[in-house]
């Protein structure tokens, strides 16, 4: 962690302050100590404090006041509460006021260190979330992210934009394949020529050929005029064959010929046309698996895969998740003329641990919805859809009754099996009738 962290300990017991100092100073923290809330507030105005560790019960002003004060005035400071009376109510109360961690007295050295580290990690997550990402100076890509995986993508975009070779982009749904294809085109010397995206999975088989290569007047009934296809439209520029693995075998054979000969045949015309179009293809699924299954032609794949680019799923991009969440929060609050909300520490935690099956697109849609639905300055866990709320780290959960827990668990299982009661009953090891009664 860069720089020495400043920690302020607040307690009316000199022994406690001494204990905290003795544990934390050897670990490289700068520790300041004061005996009450008033002195703490004064010190906060003089020194940039990263973490406040405070007692709750103190003779003059209660520690909860300090928690509230820090939370309202210092976004770059986090609070760790130490309580002598570990009732769940005070713990929940202090977390509600904005403390990010709490510890009960008679803690071990290890427990204090872990709580300090975890609080400072939350601070770091907040800072990342609040930073506007500067991007790479060389490229205008529209892509957000500074993780090693994304830095590799920027280098590959840079390389691909300098030559005209075919590019094959793979990655799960919503990872940004089209955005990467556009970045290659718009950073290349063909930037002023068209970029033509073709969704190979969405065009009916019988129209595919005429859409791709065009047709001559009179080629078939209804062809009153000659018309160019996508390849002609993209001449001099880039054609983006999105979901290329969804094309039929005859189409794959035709595309292979285009790649080999650099020419296309319009339907109804036996003379070929030279074309100068760069091809970028993409696939959601692993082409090599589809080749083994006989769905995708191996020779076409090798022709396409001159420059392979694989985009990592969002869950493997670490802090990029927060950069993106913050970016979309800015973007959509500007659109809706609202002030940009922040995300609570717990929401940040959930974001960092969620699986994100829909990747960046899923995150973008979620943040868009949250910006529209929430009027509070901070987005908190209850604002999130169920599927994300259930991914909360169980230690951080507040506790309710057994009946609540049962209800929540059943809902969780039902969400998992997409509402299928038979499957849910199987997992829960109860019969369907019992499940129906419980649901009532
Ligand atoms: N790194 C990123 N920075 C900013 N926005 C991104 C990033 N990656 C993806 N997006 C946004 O996420 C959405 C999905 O991206 P895109 O359409 O490029 O994904 P895709 O991989 O082509 O998805 P699919 O396989 O479903 O077609 C778009 O709105 C895009 O602008
Ligand atoms: Mg796409």
């Amino acid at each position: 962690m860069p720089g020495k962290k400043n920690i302020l300990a607040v307690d009316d017991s000199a022994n406690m302050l001494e204990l905290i100092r003795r544990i934390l100073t050897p670990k490289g923290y700068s520790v300041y100590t004061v005996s009450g809330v008033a002195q703490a507030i004064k010190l906060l105005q003089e020194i940039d404090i990263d973490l406040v560790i405070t007692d709750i019960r103190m003779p003059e002003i209660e520690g909860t006041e300090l928690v509230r004060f820090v939370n309202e005035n210092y976004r770059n400071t986090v609070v760790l509460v130490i309580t002598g009376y570990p009732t769940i109510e005070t713990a929940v109360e202090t977390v509600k006021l904005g403390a990010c961690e709490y510890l009960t007295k008679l803690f071990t050295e290890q427990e204090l260190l872990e709580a300090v580290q975890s609080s400072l990690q939350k601070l770091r997550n907040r800072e990342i979330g609040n930073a506007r990402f500067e991007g790479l100076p060389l490229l205008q890509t529209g892509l957000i992210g500074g993780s090693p995986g994304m830095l590799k993508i920027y280098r590959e975009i840079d390389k691909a934009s300098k030559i005209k070779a075919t590019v094959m982009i793979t990655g799960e749904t919503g990872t940004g394949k089209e955005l990467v294809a556009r970045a290659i085109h718009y950073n290349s010397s063909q930037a002023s020529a068209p970029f033509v995206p073709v969704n190979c999975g969405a065009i009916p088989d019988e129209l595919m050929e005429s859409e791709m290569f065009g047709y001559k007047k009179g080629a078939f009934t209804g062809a009153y005029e000659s018309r160019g296809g996508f390849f002609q439209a993209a001449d001099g520029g880039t054609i983006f064959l999105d979901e290329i693995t969804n094309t039929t075998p005859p189409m794959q054979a035709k595309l292979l010929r285009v790649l080999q000969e650099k020419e296309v045949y319009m339907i109804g015309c036996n003379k070929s046309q030279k074309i100068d179009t760069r091809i970028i293809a993409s696939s959601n699924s692993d082409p090599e698996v589809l080749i083994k299954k006989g769905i995708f032609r191996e020779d076409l794949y090798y022709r396409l895969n001159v420059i392979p680019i694989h985009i990592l799923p969002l869950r493997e991009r670490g802090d990029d998740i927060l950069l993106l969440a913050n970016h979309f929060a800015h973007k959509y609050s500007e659109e809706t003329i609202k002030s940009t909300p922040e995300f609570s520490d717990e929401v940040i935690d959930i974001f960092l641990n969620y699986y994100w099956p829909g990747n960046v697109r899923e995150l973008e849609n979620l943040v868009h919805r949250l910006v529209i639905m929430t009027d509070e300055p901070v987005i908190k866990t209850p604002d999130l859809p169920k599927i994300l709320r259930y991914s909360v780290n169980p230690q951080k959960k507040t506790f309710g009754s057994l009946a609540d827990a049962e209800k929540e668990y059943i809902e969780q299982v039902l969400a998992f099996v997409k509402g299928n009661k038979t499957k849910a009953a199987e997992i829960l090891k109860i019969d369907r009738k019992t499940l129906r009664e419980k649901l009532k």
Side-chain angles (χ1 to χ4, degrees):
M1 208 173 276
K4 221 172 171 182
K5 292 292 171 198
N6 292 335
I7 297 181
L8 169 61
V10 189
D11 204 306
D12 56 322
S13 144
N15 284 345
M16 179 55 96
L17 291 177
E18 187 47 33
L19 177 66
I20 293 174
R21 184 203 293 282
R22 236 187 283 149
I23 295 175
L24 296 180
T25 313
K27 300 290 173 193
Y29 298 111
S30 305
V31 181
Y32 300 82
T33 56
V34 293
S35 60
V37 172
Q39 296 95 309
I41 290 174
K42 194 157 166 284
L43 202 118
L44 277 165
Q45 287 157 353
E46 289 160 9
I47 296 170
D48 281 338
I49 296 292
D50 298 292
L51 169 65
V52 173
I53 303 179
T54 184
D55 187 14
I56 289 296
R57 300 274 163 93
M58 285 184 285
E60 278 152 28
I61 310 172
E62 293 244 322
T64 43
E65 282 308 309
L66 183 59
V67 178
R68 199 196 306 266
F69 177 80
V70 170
N71 200 45
E72 282 170 5
N73 297 287
Y74 294 91
R75 249 326 261 183
N76 294 324
T77 308
V78 281
V79 185
L80 162 61
V81 161
I82 295 185
T83 93
Y85 309 88
T87 62
I88 288 178
E89 290 74 35
T90 30
V92 171
E93 198 53 36
T94 51
V95 170
K96 267 196 202 145
L97 286 173
C100 69
E101 291 279 334
Y102 64 88
L103 203 57
T104 47
K105 275 188 186 165
L106 300 178
F107 48 82
T108 64
E109 176 169 342
Q110 189 58 24
E111 283 167 342
L112 178 65
L113 283 171
E114 273 169 17
V116 165
Q117 278 158 7
S118 139
S119 306
L120 288 171
Q121 178 61 38
K122 285 189 178 135
L123 179 65
R124 208 174 73 88
N125 290 345
R126 268 191 210 169
E127 285 168 356
I128 294 163
N130 291 335
R132 298 303 298 268
F133 184 68
E134 300 300 326
L136 273 203
L138 322 168
L139 297 168
Q140 262 300 331
T141 61
L143 291 156
I144 306 278
S147 61
M150 284 311 287
L151 297 181
K152 183 161 169 274
I153 299 284
Y154 300 143
R155 286 194 296 274
E156 287 165 346
I157 292 173
D158 190 36
K159 191 172 88 184
S161 60
K162 293 200 170 96
I163 51 177
K164 250 186 142 180
T166 308
V167 182
M168 177 82 201
I169 307 174
T170 50
E172 288 178 12
T173 182
T175 46
K177 294 184 293 297
E178 181 156 349
L179 215 50
V180 167
R182 284 177 192 277
I184 294 171
H185 174 77
Y186 288 108
N187 281 286
S188 72
S189 56
Q190 304 89 258
S192 57
F195 174 88
V196 179
V198 181
N199 185 345
C200 301
I203 303 169
D205 292 346
E206 61 280 11
L207 294 181
M208 194 67 166
E209 191 178 352
S210 67
E211 290 287 311
M212 285 282 198
F213 308 122
Y215 50 83
K216 269 275 175 237
K217 184 175 169 181
F220 45 85
T221 34
Y224 302 117
E225 295 286 334
S226 294
R227 225 194 82 187
F230 292 126
F231 271 95
Q232 288 88 351
D235 202 14
T238 305
I239 187 165
F240 176 51
L241 300 176
D242 200 4
E243 288 312 310
I244 190 157
T245 44
N246 285 344
T247 49
T248 58
M251 192 65 206
Q252 289 176 27
K254 292 201 171 86
L255 288 172
L256 180 66
R257 203 175 60 200
V258 175
L259 278 160
Q260 283 167 338
E261 318 294 336
K262 307 243 177 300
E263 50 190 33
V264 297
Y265 288 85
M266 285 178 122
I267 301 178
C269 180
N270 48 23
K271 236 182 85 217
S272 65
Q273 246 180 319
K274 276 278 165 210
I275 51 125
D276 172 34
T277 305
R278 137 116 78 178
I279 297 178
I280 303 181
S282 88
S283 174
N284 272 337
S285 24
D286 182 352
E288 301 198 8
V289 173
L290 300 177
I291 290 168
K292 284 208 188 87
K293 287 188 186 159
I295 296 169
F296 195 57
R297 281 182 79 123
E298 190 167 19
D299 44 6
L300 176 58
Y301 176 60
Y302 288 116
R303 281 273 170 186
L304 291 167
N305 205 30
V306 182
I307 305 180
I309 298 184
H310 179 68
I311 313 183
L312 286 180
L314 183 60
R315 60 185 168 279
E316 288 172 29
R317 296 191 214 165
D319 295 342
D320 280 0
I321 297 170
L322 307 182
L323 285 177
L324 283 160
N326 195 244
H327 164 76
F328 293 130
H330 271 283
K331 176 174 157 187
Y332 289 113
S333 34
E334 240 162 57
E335 264 179 28
T336 42
I337 328 177
K338 279 184 170 182
S339 54
T340 308
E342 285 174 357
F343 300 99
S344 76
D345 293 329
E346 194 177 42
V347 168
I348 287 176
D349 246 11
I350 293 174
F351 280 6
L352 288 174
N353 291 307
Y354 178 60
Y355 191 79
W356 298 113
N359 293 291
V360 185
R361 182 181 295 111
E362 184 181 5
L363 175 64
E364 177 168 5
N365 291 342
L366 171 70
V367 173
H368 190 178
R369 244 182 305 138
L370 289 171
V371 167
I372 292 173
M373 304 299 286
T374 333
D375 287 315
E376 300 294 318
V378 179
I379 290 172
K380 303 210 174 83
T381 312
D383 301 324
L384 298 179
K386 261 188 197 158
I387 182 105
L388 273 103
R389 267 187 278 143
Y390 288 144
S391 62
V392 180
N393 184 344
Q395 292 155 3
K396 308 248 173 61
K397 265 190 198 165
T398 51
F399 294 99
S401 69
L402 192 58
D404 287 344
E406 184 183 81
K407 179 164 170 271
E408 191 169 321
Y409 183 62
I410 293 175
E411 282 176 348
Q412 213 167 332
V413 171
L414 274 171
F416 177 73
V417 297
K418 302 203 168 62
N420 183 327
K421 295 201 183 78
T422 311
K423 280 193 193 149
E426 258 172 49
I427 294 176
L428 294 166
K429 297 216 173 14
I430 55 178
D431 53 44
R432 282 189 47 124
K433 192 165 152 267
T434 317
L435 177 61
R436 240 180 293 129
E437 272 158 18
K438 284 188 187 292
L439 285 174
K440 263 189 224 148

